[in-house]
Amino acid sequence: MGESIKTDVVIVGAGPAALFAVFELGLLDIKAHLVDVLPRAGGQCAELYPEKPIYDIPGHPMITGDGIVEKLLAQIEPFHPTFHFEQMVTELEVLSTPEAPAFRVKTDAERTFECRSVIVAAGGGSFQPKKPPIEGIEAYEQKSVFYAVRKMEDFRDKNVVVVGGGDSALDWTLNLQPIAKRLTLVHRRDEFRAAPHSVKAMRDLVSAGKMELRIGQILALSGADGRLAAAQIKSAKGEVSELAVERLVPFFGLTMKLGPVAEWGLNLHENLIPVDTARFETNVPGIFAIGDINHYPGKLKLILCGFHEGALAAQKVYHYVYPEKKLVFQYTTSSTSLQKKLGVA
Amino acid sequence: MIKITFIDSFGEKRTVEAEEGSTVMETAIRNSIPEITAECGGACACATCHVYVDEAFLPLTGGPSPQEEDMLDFAYGTQANSRLSCQIKVTPELDGLVIRTPQRQG
Ligand SMILES: Cc1cc2nc3c(=O)[nH]c(=O)nc-3n(C[C@H](O)[C@H](O)[C@H](O)COP(=O)(O)OP(=O)(O)OC[C@H]3O[C@@H](n4cnc5c(N)ncnc54)[C@H](O)[C@@H]3O)c2cc1C
Ligand code: FES
């Protein structure tokens, strides 16, 4: 494990609420590190509806999911937040007293942080792979069925079956084909969402007899002791055939699951974190919750509410980070000190 | 009055009224039809509103758009008559529409 990173605040999640919180914290000289399981910033806006229009962001009659993320990133640029992507915050440990809180935060990529406050901006939970509802698939998970490829060596000289038609499915088809004993790509139709160049590379391998493409869907799995032996595949015409398989890698997109947030000793109300509406602090002093993940009377799951919550939470975070200082309220329009931080004065 | 009949995976039928201009998914949610989740609220971004359109109505509903086809890749047990119900607009011609719901939305 590497050395622990010391910072003022760790933000769990990098959705819109988290991004704007960086701005509000930055104005108060508070440094933040953000962790997200996704490979990029933006949460639901980036993952679920990047190209769809949003009509209720104040001051933007219309902006797309990707558009608002891009603008937020530009807005927080002066504060140089550090992003840690493709990793999940798994542990949150309280190191100190309620008066002077301090926390240790760990991710599943072995990264450790020590900080004064934690802002949970986990939205609808962390994005996790969807599991195909094939009877008994759980028994094979992590032995024969993998929703992500972590160790390529586990696939060497095996009968590998990849399922799906998007970029993840095609990328892993191309990466695993050279080391697999035999690789089969199973997709429900002979059309692919993935980037055209990877689709072409796949089709070339199929023509060269180096891999197989099966159009159909997996009906059932068989094997013993968690080790997969075969999969039943139903073709588009309804014919069922069997395929030998030792490693199955299904790609059915992502869904949001609360995940480790439930294990941090925070009060929960139907998978949401109750907070006070003055500071958006949880039952644990020093841990805040903003955006879709929190709950209070009148809560609306709107981006603009997450922005407001971040601004108020930042005020209280300031007291934990700078206990000896007094916070003076200032406008960005007229305060030279704020403008210096923004790099415009 | 436009009526839609939903038949769940156990064969139970529920006939409800649908409003012109709304979607089949909205009609289902409003009437607490089981086996339709609609996690993304109709943005064609989750594939948890997957349904089977009765063959007789296929010419009227038409097939999925390319974007919907892409999303259907994330549904399970798709068939030639698979659609995402949030992408089917209710029109007067669809009166009597019969929709089957899958056992699981994933
Ligand atoms: C289709 C659709 C349309 C919408 N339209 C609108 C609209 O028009 N207007 C509007 O205001 N809102 C809209 N919303 C809602 C809006 O997207 C959400 O309110 C907003 O994204 C919430 O932001 P957030 O930062 O709280 O969380 P999210 O955007 O959910 O981001 C949370 C992030 O935290 C990460 N995360 C969670 N747990 C962990 C962990 N343990 N470790 C690491 N990372 C973690 C997740 O991976 C995720 O990326 C829409 C939502 C959808 C799905
Ligand atoms: S409700 Fe999500 S795709 Fe239809």
Side-chain angles (χ1 to χ4, degrees):
Chain A
M1 192 180 304
E3 231 171 72
S4 77
I5 299 170
K6 300 217 165 30
T7 180
D8 297 331
V9 178
V10 169
I11 305 183
V12 181
L19 296 179
F20 193 66
V22 169
F23 184 82
E24 292 292 334
L25 293 167
L27 287 181
L28 306 179
D29 291 317
I30 304 168
K31 289 259 167 292
H33 283 246
L34 299 89
V35 185
D36 203 303
V37 279
L38 292 179
R40 60 183 176 283
Q44 296 174 43
C45 305
E47 186 58 35
L48 296 179
Y49 58 105
E51 281 150 28
K52 289 227 151 62
I54 311 173
Y55 297 100
D56 56 356
I57 304 294
H60 291 278
M62 194 290 272
I63 188 163
T64 61
D66 264 347
I68 182 74
V69 175
E70 198 182 301
K71 295 252 187 240
L72 284 166
L73 286 172
Q75 194 167 19
I76 63 177
E77 184 20 63
F79 303 117
H80 311 293
T82 317
F83 291 97
H84 306 267
F85 289 125
E86 296 185 88
Q87 49 196 296
M88 173 107 83
V89 175
T90 45
E91 289 173 44
L92 198 173
E93 194 188 332
V94 183
L95 297 178
S96 59
T97 60
E99 293 73 43
F103 303 93
R104 183 178 294 130
V105 176
K106 287 186 188 167
T107 78
D108 62 356
E110 308 274 295
R111 207 150 285 165
T112 307
F113 303 88
E114 277 173 32
C115 56
R116 308 303 297 269
S117 275
V118 174
I119 297 182
V120 182
S126 59
F127 278 100
Q128 293 177 19
K130 263 197 211 164
K131 299 176 175 187
I134 303 169
E135 280 281 325
I137 191 166
E138 295 82 11
Y140 303 104
E141 284 169 2
Q142 301 318 321
K143 278 191 186 153
S144 298
V145 175
F146 297 89
Y147 300 106
V149 178
R150 292 261 155 109
K151 283 212 305 270
M152 294 263 288
E153 275 312 302
D154 285 346
F155 295 80
R156 185 175 294 279
D157 301 323
K158 303 280 191 230
N159 281 321
V160 180
V161 174
V162 176
V163 189
D167 281 313
S168 308
L170 271 282
D171 289 351
W172 284 112
T173 293
L174 300 176
N175 285 333
L176 293 174
Q177 183 276 329
I179 64 165
K181 179 156 110 204
R182 212 181 97 181
L183 193 134
T184 311
L185 174 64
V186 176
H187 185 42
R188 72 174 185 98
R189 57 187 175 130
D190 200 7
E191 261 171 78
F192 295 84
R193 303 185 305 284
H197 64 90
S198 15
V199 178
K200 179 173 184 304
M202 180 272 296
R203 292 208 191 272
D204 288 348
L205 287 171
V206 173
S207 318
K210 293 192 171 149
M211 62 165 280
E212 202 192 334
L213 169 63
R214 290 265 197 117
I215 304 304
Q217 297 176 70
I218 296 194
L219 280 187
L221 301 173
S222 57
D225 299 328
R227 259 177 278 277
L228 205 52
Q232 267 185 22
I233 298 182
K234 190 169 142 197
S235 75
K237 289 197 197 84
E239 295 145 358
V240 177
S241 59
E242 208 161 77
L243 183 67
V245 45
E246 292 159 287
R247 294 286 180 272
L248 180 70
V249 205
F251 290 105
F252 280 92
L254 302 173
T255 180
M256 293 189 102
K257 289 260 163 63
L258 184 61
V261 174
E263 293 149 29
W264 300 338
L266 301 174
N267 287 344
L268 288 179
H269 168 84
E270 290 173 359
N271 279 350
L272 299 169
I273 306 174
V275 289
D276 71 85
T277 48
R279 299 304 182 206
F280 300 92
E281 201 164 14
T282 68
N283 61 306
V284 181
I287 304 183
F288 298 78
I290 61 169
D292 280 13
I293 191 77
N294 74 12
H295 178 76
Y296 53 85
K299 167 72 183 179
L300 289 179
K301 288 189 185 182
L302 286 178
I303 296 167
L304 73 92
C305 297
F307 291 169
H308 159 82
E309 295 159 12
L312 267 56
Q315 305 283 310
K316 181 75 183 278
V317 172
Y318 183 85
H319 290 289
Y320 290 126
V321 176
Y322 299 109
E324 70 292 350
K325 288 196 198 166
K326 197 167 175 296
L327 186 55
V328 184
F329 178 77
Q330 299 176 88
Y331 287 121
T332 53
T333 337
S334 43
S335 154
T336 351
S337 102
L338 292 185
Q339 289 173 0
K340 275 204 187 110
K341 295 173 198 179
L342 291 166
V344 291
Chain B
M1 207 182 304
I2 309 165
K3 290 211 187 272
I4 301 182
T5 299
F6 292 90
I7 307 179
D8 70 19
S9 63
F10 300 98
E12 189 160 329
K13 284 186 190 174
R14 294 172 181 85
T15 301
V16 300
E17 264 171 48
E19 207 174 292
E20 184 176 354
S22 71
T23 67
V24 172
M25 179 279 281
E26 287 165 348
T27 308
I29 297 296
R30 221 172 278 149
N31 291 283
S32 309
I33 299 294
E35 299 181 340
I36 293 183
T37 317
E39 239 169 57
C40 80
C44 197
C46 74
T48 61
C49 64
H50 172 211
V51 298
Y52 306 115
V53 175
D54 187 90
E55 310 284 342
F57 288 88
L58 274 182
L60 294 173
T61 59
S65 68
Q67 191 201 1
E68 187 183 337
E69 276 284 11
D70 284 354
M71 242 10 255
L72 275 168
D73 287 351
F74 295 143
Y76 307 104
T78 53
Q79 303 171 0
N81 59 342
S82 282
R83 287 292 310 268
L84 294 177
S85 55
C86 69
Q87 303 300 305
I88 310 176
K89 275 253 177 316
V90 175
T91 58
E93 300 82 70
L94 288 184
D95 184 28
L97 177 65
V98 177
I99 293 284
R100 286 182 180 75
T101 48
Q103 200 180 347
R104 293 169 82 167
Q105 293 285 357

